[in-house]
Amino acid sequence: MSAARECWLDLRGAGPWRRAVSEEAVHLRFDAIVADDPADLADLPPTVTRVLAVTGDLPGDLGNADLVLVDPATRATVDRPGVRFGTRVDVTDAESLELACERVRRDELTVLRFHDPTHIPLEIVLAAADGADGRIITEVSGIDEASVHLTVLERGPDGVLLRPGGPGDATKLTEVVRRRSPDLDLVTLTVTGVRHCGSGERACVDTCSYLNPDEGILVGSRSRGLLLCVSETHPLPYMPMRPFRVNAGAVMSYTLADHERTRYLCELQAGATVLAVRADGRSRAVTVGRVKIETRPLLAIDAVAPSGEQLNLIVQDDWHVRLLGPGGVVLNSTELKPGDEVLGYLPGRERHVGYPIDELCHEL
């Protein structure tokens, strides 16, 4: 499996959109474009792999194709010097699934199409290919299916082949395939004050993932500065651990839905995403399973960044609500005192409906 996922575009059946979607894919630096007519590949630049899909016998003229896709029977009988071949398998039943498993273990490239609405055959093929050197590309019917394929068995195929419905689909595919959650530059903050501040509603964010002991979510009262609240992966004397949960803060607090956009905690709901961040700045998007909002005593934590930026976080006033300090040290919120150090993040720009924007905004 390669680290970078590949974007492939299928021109077969593209109809009147063929030229437009082809130009879009070239502009986006797609890895490959597939056609069944050599003429559709003729004007493509060498920056993209030109793939000719052949059904049945191999034609005499392959045009300027860089790679030729054939079915397994044809692949077993052809050998043209200087021509790169890949195998295409339609998985429709147990027999064709076994054939797909065989090909991915031996071929340089295998393109797979799964006909039934289940991902179990893809799981089986990926397991069969574990340790093999070849690449696997799966055909998908839409952007949502591409998103699912890329996460099957936590690894997915090496790339996806999309037959677009029209212009714009190629752009959407790159957003899914090339999406990365970058490392964040966390800073060390100094606590300047801790005070009880009455009661109010706080939110526990329950994710659909097990969180690491040095992992949590960034939360803050002001969009320009967030503190790292740790997950409930550490022992508690009176209750079991909840390794999927972050007792995050008051409902009006900001958090990061991804590396750029903020959300209020009260806006999170089942199926949304939130950015999980580790003490070394590594991040990943995790799915929210639910948000528990309950009335609790509250504690306000004030801190300052090396830049002088003032930060605030309001959390449940209880010992088991914890923050992370430098090196992943776990700090009980009720034991914090001025001078203690905690980890935080400075997004650096104001926000409007969660999006970064440069405008005058004072948050007190």
Side-chain angles (χ1 to χ4, degrees):
M1 294 292 296
S2 58
R5 307 298 184 87
E6 298 183 10
C7 291
W8 286 40
L9 189 80
D10 193 346
L11 293 182
R12 294 170 293 177
W17 301 115
R18 182 179 287 104
R19 183 175 182 83
V21 297
S22 177
E23 290 178 352
E24 181 184 8
V26 170
H27 175 73
L28 293 168
R29 294 191 173 276
F30 263 50
D31 298 280
I33 294 180
V34 179
D36 54 10
D37 185 347
D40 290 332
L41 304 175
D43 296 330
L44 295 178
T47 55
V48 63
T49 300
R50 296 159 292 205
V51 182
L52 181 65
V54 174
T55 302
D57 296 333
L58 199 66
D61 183 12
L62 301 177
N64 64 346
D66 303 303
L67 177 71
V68 179
L69 283 182
V70 295
D71 61 49
T74 302
R75 182 70 187 92
T77 60
V78 298
D79 184 18
R80 288 197 189 179
V83 178
R84 290 176 56 212
F85 286 97
T87 307
R88 182 181 182 274
V89 180
D90 282 319
V91 178
T92 59
D93 52 24
E95 182 179 356
S96 55
L97 175 59
E98 182 59 33
L99 176 62
C101 291
E102 174 191 340
R103 303 312 304 194
V104 297
R105 289 194 293 265
R106 61 185 294 182
D107 291 348
E108 173 190 349
L109 173 80
T110 310
V111 176
L112 302 172
R113 182 184 178 194
F114 298 93
H115 286 255
D116 291 322
T118 172
H119 303 299
I120 292 176
L122 176 55
E123 292 180 5
I124 294 172
V125 171
L126 291 176
D130 191 52
D133 295 328
R135 291 179 296 147
I136 299 173
I137 307 295
T138 59
E139 297 188 25
V140 296
S141 58
I143 306 303
D144 289 342
E145 187 177 12
S147 298
V148 174
H149 275 213
L150 293 169
T151 61
V152 170
L153 284 195
E154 299 184 50
R155 54 175 283 183
D158 295 278
V160 289
L161 169 61
L162 174 70
R163 183 172 297 182
D169 280 359
T171 299
K172 294 175 183 176
L173 184 65
T174 60
E175 292 172 352
V176 169
V177 174
R178 298 172 181 170
R179 181 189 300 146
R180 296 292 182 271
S181 187
D183 293 347
L184 301 184
D185 293 324
L186 301 183
V187 297
T188 298
L189 312 170
T190 301
V191 175
T192 57
V194 180
R195 63 191 187 278
H196 306 285
C197 57
S199 66
E201 281 68 63
R202 68 93 176 98
C204 283
V205 179
D206 292 348
T207 71
C208 296
S209 300
Y210 282 115
L211 300 172
N212 293 288
D214 68 338
E215 191 174 33
I217 66 175
L218 290 158
V219 188
S221 302
R222 301 167 189 151
S223 62
R224 290 177 62 89
L226 310 172
L227 286 73
L228 186 53
C229 296
V230 71
S231 55
E232 293 189 2
T233 56
H234 300 275
L236 296 167
Y238 302 110
M239 58 189 297
M241 292 184 291
R242 304 283 191 260
F244 51 80
R245 170 175 295 172
V246 179
N247 193 323
V251 288
M252 39 40 79
S253 304
Y254 291 102
T255 190
L256 287 177
D258 55 44
H259 69 281
E260 288 190 337
R261 189 172 185 187
T262 59
R263 293 282 191 190
Y264 296 122
L265 289 179
C266 64
E267 291 179 334
L268 298 178
Q269 56 185 328
T273 60
V274 67
L275 199 66
V277 182
R278 301 189 70 163
D280 60 3
R282 284 179 291 167
S283 69
R284 59 176 176 139
V286 294
T287 301
V288 176
R290 65 176 158 264
V291 178
K292 288 188 66 179
I293 296 175
E294 298 161 315
T295 302
R296 294 290 187 268
L298 299 177
L299 185 74
I301 302 167
D302 297 310
V304 63
S307 63
E309 186 78 43
Q310 301 292 320
L311 293 84
N312 174 264
L313 170 64
I314 297 177
V315 296
Q316 180 180 342
D317 189 345
D318 204 297
W319 174 79
H320 73 278
V321 179
R322 294 157 165 171
L323 280 68
L324 282 176
V329 174
V330 179
L331 303 168
N332 301 325
S333 59
T334 54
E335 296 178 353
L336 288 173
K337 59 186 182 302
D340 286 344
E341 294 183 335
V342 295
L343 289 176
Y345 177 63
L346 307 178
R349 299 176 69 187
E350 311 300 347
R351 301 281 159 164
H352 182 66
V353 294
Y355 292 105
I357 186 173
D358 295 317
E359 67 171 2
L360 177 66
C361 178
H362 294 298
E363 293 179 307
L364 305 175

